[in-house]
Amino acid sequence: MKTKRKDLLGIENLTVDEIELLLSTAESFKEVSAREIKKVPTLRGKTVINLFYEPSTRTRTSFEIAAKRMSADAVNISIASSSAVKGETLKDTARNLEAMKPDAIVIRHSSAGTPEMLSRYVGCSVINAGDGAHEHPSQALLDLLTVKERLGRIEGVRLAIVGDIAHSRVARSNIYGFTKLGASVTVAGPPTMMPPGIERLGCRAAANMTDAIKDADVIMMLRIQLERQDEAFFPSAREYSRLYGLDADKLRTAKKDVIILHPGPVNRGVEISPDVADGPYSLILDQVTNGVAVRMAIFYLLLGASRET
Amino acid sequence: MQRLVIKGGRVVDPASGIDALCNIYIMGGRIASVKAAKDDETELIPGAPGLEIIDAAGLVVMPGLVDLHTHLREPGFEYKETIQTGAEAAAAGGFTTILCMANTRPVNDNQSVTSYIVNKAKGALVNVLPVGAVTVGLKGERLTEAAELKDAGCVALSDDGMPIVKSGLMRRALEYSKALDLTIISHAEDMELAGKGVMNEGAVSTRLGLKGIPNAAEEAVIARDIRLAELTKGRLHIAHVSTRGSVELIRSAKKAGVTVTAEATPHHLTLTDEAAAGYDTNAKMNPPLRAKVDVDCLRQALKDGTIDVVATDHAPQSVMEKDVEFDRAANGIVGLETAFSLVYGLVEEGVLTFNELVKVMSLNPSKVMSLDKGTLRVGASADIAIADLDAEWTVDPSTLKSKSKNTPYAGKAMKGKIVKTIVGGKIVFDCLKEA
């Protein structure tokens, strides 16, 4: 199996075969992380740059560990130490990094579309680690892997995504990923956070949270940014939590064997109550474990010997 | 005296009701006579001293185009455009008169800045008429000395680029300018509602994950301004109308007899928000490109006269402002050199007749601002554009005369091309003389 793709910019333009290839490759890499010596030589001599314009602990660490377990050299650049604060443009940064001959640049940026722009500036692979409210493809892949592992399938699964849909790249990538593999996706959140035309991405918009989760096999709770109160998206964390937070009471209206995902980091007591986050339905830590495997698969398929040129 | 004769072209001059093959005689920079070609027995000896003949057979001859909305960036942003380069771009696009907005640095809010622009414009290829600011520094706080601005050469007033947020101040501006017979050009935008939006709010912004600007951000302010025009009987012109709702507001205001006129840009008439796919920052402008329903509605409004004028909103930006993240990119595109062909595209599509094109690009803008332009009547200044409607060309940003190359039309195949532009009887653009 091969991929012709240079970059991973989003799930929207991936084929079903490509998604399945990424997932099956990730499954096979999970074993590496269980070994005593957690390393394979596959990408020895390759250089990966993690270019993070937005703070991130989990995703950056996950990409870094994934690269290292594949024996690639990983370099991290974060906004605090980069030239961005000195006013260097993205294009200049890209060209300077390109001149150091990396094999891949993993980029996270608060502006949607930045990875796509970067991919036009550089010849190496570009991997989107989250761009504004656009896409977060590795997150959707690890969510797919987590659900597939637990339920044995994606096709026919009913996924409910609850929270700030408008500002969520996780929601968009998961809508594309799950619907492409035959799942049905319902989204719900405060009307202020439901973007116009979201149905055109292939999901259903529910009127309220109860409606969204009642038939769901999987509930994905999104992180709410508390700063959004200041922009009048919701009046208070208290009321948000009451209407859209997942607690034991609301969980009782869902299916008995429902599973719960959250991309993290969790605002405990706001979008998800601590007992639910730590409860038996929660797969939050499995998601993190699978994140490494998925990112190893991404590196392997984009940088490995199998890539067609 | 030097004589220029434009022979045998199809002369289209809605002001005098002419659409026929005519010979146009120009003397002393003015139209001396327009004679039907078939009846014209004037003997012209090619090469005779003092006589220049332009053979316009197969070409269309129309009054020079008039653009009510350009940004020439001088003074202050000469790296984007200057009055000279902007005028060259205008000439290449068939424009013979252009108005330049006041959002320069310093702002054109006092007579010394106006005089600076007027002086610079003396050496320019086309007529450049400044628009003065409505409020000092475009800050929306205090009215400019409009009488002095008018004396120095301003032909209208606008804070374009910025809305006038305070309704009371807008009211006073509309009232005060009545005594000066100056029109207020409104940049209608509720900035709080537009928020941090960078494109049209809708399914496309949702897909791209970009923040949207709702149609209501424009419509709310147009509704207010129309009411204020009704209250004050002042002269209101709405810049760059982009939405269906705006069209409906203007249509009903006109029906009710409010003194309001409106313009739309070639890009809002030809592109939708889908142009932003791929995060092309040349598709980023304010107001943003809207949905297809809005585009269709604008076209209908241009046809039925609700929209009086096509104006380019020529907004040069350098690569430094455009080759950056979409959220950070500056708004606007250059428009002078593509406007005619884009609007001619509407003629080809059957939206407008050619006569209507000349109206919305030359006659109506002249009327709206009470300019002595937009016609080929005897005695009028010989400002003329000659076009080859069969010529096909492809937009190549590197060949644009404008200093900036920010156009979303790069590579687009166009039909209809300006071949000669004449200002005051002098040929200022000749495509045959281009390299």
Side-chain angles (χ1 to χ4, degrees):
Chain A
M1 294 285 271
K2 293 174 179 183
T3 177
K4 284 181 184 168
R5 214 167 269 283
K6 173 172 93 76
D7 310 306
L8 179 66
L9 301 177
I11 304 289
E12 185 188 5
N13 56 4
L14 293 184
T15 64
V16 171
D17 285 348
E18 285 175 309
I19 297 172
E20 283 175 344
L21 174 61
L22 279 156
L23 294 179
S24 61
T25 309
E27 276 169 346
S28 68
F29 277 128
K30 275 196 82 169
E31 171 265 330
V32 174
S33 297
R35 291 182 196 173
E36 191 165 340
I37 296 170
K38 305 177 185 65
K39 216 173 181 72
V40 289
T42 322
L43 297 182
R44 199 168 55 196
K46 303 278 185 186
T47 305
V48 170
I49 296 175
N50 289 321
L51 179 60
F52 276 59
Y53 285 90
E54 240 186 15
S56 158
T57 309
R58 187 175 330 231
T59 305
R60 189 187 55 69
T61 309
S62 182
F63 269 110
E64 185 179 353
I65 288 175
K68 286 179 170 165
R69 289 198 177 150
M70 302 293 284
S71 299
D73 297 306
V75 180
N76 297 318
I77 303 172
S78 62
I79 187 151
S81 61
S82 80
S83 298
V85 286
K86 295 178 208 151
E88 186 177 63
T89 64
L90 175 77
K91 191 175 187 175
D92 284 334
T93 304
R95 289 194 165 159
N96 278 283
L97 293 177
E98 172 85 344
M100 299 181 209
K101 312 292 179 203
D103 298 281
I105 298 176
V106 177
I107 179 170
R108 164 165 291 191
H109 201 290
S110 58
S111 290
T114 306
E116 191 171 332
M117 299 185 84
L118 181 69
S119 75
R120 292 198 285 258
Y121 300 145
V122 299
C124 70
S125 289
V126 172
I127 297 165
N128 181 3
D131 63 327
H134 179 225
E135 283 232 41
H136 192 349
S138 62
Q139 178 70 41
L141 291 167
L142 72 87
D143 290 333
L144 285 163
L145 183 60
T146 306
V147 172
K148 195 175 168 216
E149 272 180 353
R150 180 56 68 103
L151 301 181
R153 66 194 163 92
I154 300 295
E155 192 164 3
V157 164
R158 279 169 292 196
L159 166 68
I161 307 177
V162 180
D164 183 356
I165 309 296
H167 299 95
S168 178
R169 52 195 174 214
V170 175
R172 285 170 179 75
S173 287
N174 271 304
I175 292 168
Y176 292 129
F178 275 84
T179 54
K180 277 177 194 241
L181 297 195
S184 63
V185 180
T186 301
V187 296
T192 48
M193 291 172 156
M194 293 286 271
I198 187 72
E199 303 86 351
R200 298 222 206 143
L201 270 55
C203 62
R204 181 178 77 90
N208 55 54
M209 182 164 174
T210 322
D211 176 33
I213 67 171
K214 66 174 191 289
D215 296 318
D217 302 304
V218 182
I219 302 173
M220 183 181 293
M221 298 304 298
L222 299 176
R223 174 182 169 76
I224 187 82
Q225 284 187 288
L226 296 171
E227 307 87 87
R228 306 250 182 249
Q229 286 172 87
D230 306 331
E231 301 163 64
F233 284 101
F234 58 96
S236 67
R238 180 170 165 267
E239 181 146 301
Y240 181 86
S241 180
R242 196 164 73 81
L243 294 179
Y244 299 97
L246 188 61
D247 55 19
D249 280 346
K250 288 206 198 69
L251 202 51
R252 270 191 285 278
T253 69
K255 289 169 80 170
K256 292 281 164 279
D257 53 352
V258 69
I259 59 177
I260 296 160
L261 304 179
H262 190 299
V266 174
N267 286 311
R268 285 174 178 260
V270 184
E271 70 263 4
I272 191 162
S273 67
D275 52 326
V276 173
D278 300 330
Y281 310 107
S282 166
L283 298 184
I284 294 175
L285 295 177
D286 301 67
Q287 291 174 273
V288 178
T289 304
N290 283 336
V292 174
V294 154
R295 287 163 183 131
M296 288 169 78
I298 293 168
F299 285 133
Y300 176 72
L301 291 172
L302 293 181
L303 307 184
S306 65
R307 186 179 149 200
E308 283 181 355
T309 48
Chain B
M1 192 185 272
Q2 181 78 21
R3 274 201 304 168
L4 176 64
V5 185
I6 303 169
K7 255 192 90 176
R10 174 188 163 197
V11 173
V12 181
D13 181 30
S16 52
I18 295 176
D19 184 348
L21 296 180
C22 294
N23 301 332
I24 298 180
Y25 293 80
I26 296 157
M27 279 177 74
R30 298 201 165 261
I31 309 280
S33 61
V34 180
K35 296 177 185 169
K38 59 178 169 44
D39 306 329
D40 187 7
E41 286 168 2
T42 314
E43 205 176 326
L44 294 171
I45 301 155
L51 176 67
E52 190 174 356
I53 302 172
I54 295 173
D55 180 5
L59 304 177
V60 166
V61 182
M62 59 193 149
L65 307 179
V66 176
D67 191 352
L68 297 186
H69 198 139
T70 72
H71 297 272
L72 299 185
R73 306 300 191 203
E74 185 178 3
F77 306 98
E78 290 85 351
Y79 68 98
K80 300 183 189 193
E81 192 82 286
T82 63
I83 290 166
Q84 188 199 322
T85 58
E88 283 172 26
F95 290 93
T96 52
T97 297
I98 57 177
L99 273 59
C100 58
M101 288 297 173
N103 61 342
T104 46
R105 192 170 62 201
V107 169
N108 183 16
D109 60 6
N110 65 76
Q111 61 158 348
S112 61
V113 179
T114 308
S115 301
Y116 177 87
I117 294 169
V118 168
N119 254 328
K120 286 270 176 178
K122 278 178 189 154
L125 290 183
V126 305
N127 305 305
V128 175
L129 305 175
V131 175
V134 178
T135 68
V136 176
L138 308 180
K139 290 198 170 78
E141 299 289 344
R142 206 155 53 82
L143 293 181
T144 53
E145 293 174 334
E148 201 165 84
L149 286 171
K150 186 179 181 181
D151 290 345
C154 288
V155 298
L157 298 171
S158 181
D159 275 4
D160 184 69
M162 296 292 286
I164 293 168
V165 175
K166 295 181 175 176
S167 305
L169 190 71
M170 182 63 173
R171 173 206 175 147
R172 296 305 177 211
L174 282 163
E175 280 172 345
Y176 189 79
S177 58
K178 278 198 297 180
L180 305 168
D181 217 12
L182 287 174
T183 298
I184 305 279
I185 304 173
S186 167
H187 168 113
E189 179 187 6
D190 181 328
M191 290 180 81
E192 206 262 336
L193 186 51
K196 290 179 186 156
V198 293
M199 68 171 295
N200 181 47
E201 180 176 302
V204 181
S205 66
T206 293
R207 193 179 84 221
L208 295 175
L210 292 170
K211 285 200 175 68
I213 301 171
N215 288 11
E218 172 177 313
E219 294 154 4
V221 178
I222 291 182
R224 178 200 73 173
D225 288 351
I226 284 171
R227 288 293 164 255
L228 293 176
E230 193 175 29
L231 172 71
T232 60
K233 307 280 183 286
R235 282 171 57 177
L236 172 68
H237 177 75
I238 312 285
H240 42 54
V241 171
S242 76
T243 79
R244 175 187 182 178
S246 301
V247 165
E248 283 163 6
L249 287 164
I250 295 162
R251 189 175 281 140
S252 70
K254 284 188 164 185
K255 206 173 277 178
V258 180
T259 48
V260 58
T261 53
E263 70 189 32
T265 70
H267 44 279
H268 288 110
L269 288 161
T270 54
L271 292 175
T272 67
D273 54 0
E274 282 289 352
Y279 302 94
D280 179 2
T281 57
N282 284 327
K284 183 177 176 185
M285 56 273 288
N286 188 22
L289 297 171
R290 300 290 187 180
K292 183 162 186 303
V293 58
D294 298 297
V295 175
D296 291 344
C297 211
L298 282 183
R299 290 174 167 206
Q300 180 53 40
L302 189 63
K303 175 80 181 171
D304 70 24
T306 304
I307 303 281
D308 305 82
V309 166
V310 171
T312 64
D313 197 1
H314 179 80
Q317 303 287 6
S318 83
V319 224
M320 289 185 287
E321 282 100 17
K322 280 295 193 183
D323 208 355
V324 296
E325 295 89 329
F326 199 92
D327 285 337
R328 289 179 55 201
N331 287 311
I333 61 167
V334 291
L336 286 166
E337 293 165 82
T338 46
F340 173 77
S341 302
L342 289 169
V343 181
Y344 183 63
L346 299 182
V347 175
E348 286 277 296
E349 284 184 54
V351 177
L352 296 179
T353 64
F354 194 81
N355 194 66
E356 286 164 340
L357 176 148
V358 179
K359 273 190 184 171
V360 298
M361 296 190 82
S362 179
L363 178 61
N364 291 356
S366 305
K367 279 185 178 169
V368 163
M369 293 300 158
S370 307
L371 305 173
D372 183 20
K373 302 286 177 192
T375 175
L376 298 175
R377 273 199 211 102
V378 172
S381 173
D383 295 352
I384 297 168
I386 304 177
D388 180 349
L389 300 185
D390 296 320
E392 292 177 2
W393 63 289
T394 303
V395 181
D396 174 0
S398 71
T399 63
L400 295 177
K401 304 276 185 191
S402 174
K403 217 172 197 181
S404 292
K405 314 296 175 192
N406 50 312
T407 172
Y409 297 105
K412 183 182 162 63
M414 300 278 221
K415 198 170 174 218
K417 192 176 187 343
I418 298 294
V419 293
K420 279 188 179 61
T421 305
I422 297 163
V423 175
K426 198 174 140 224
I427 299 172
V428 295
F429 173 75
D430 185 345
C431 77
L432 297 176
K433 296 199 176 131
E434 297 299 306

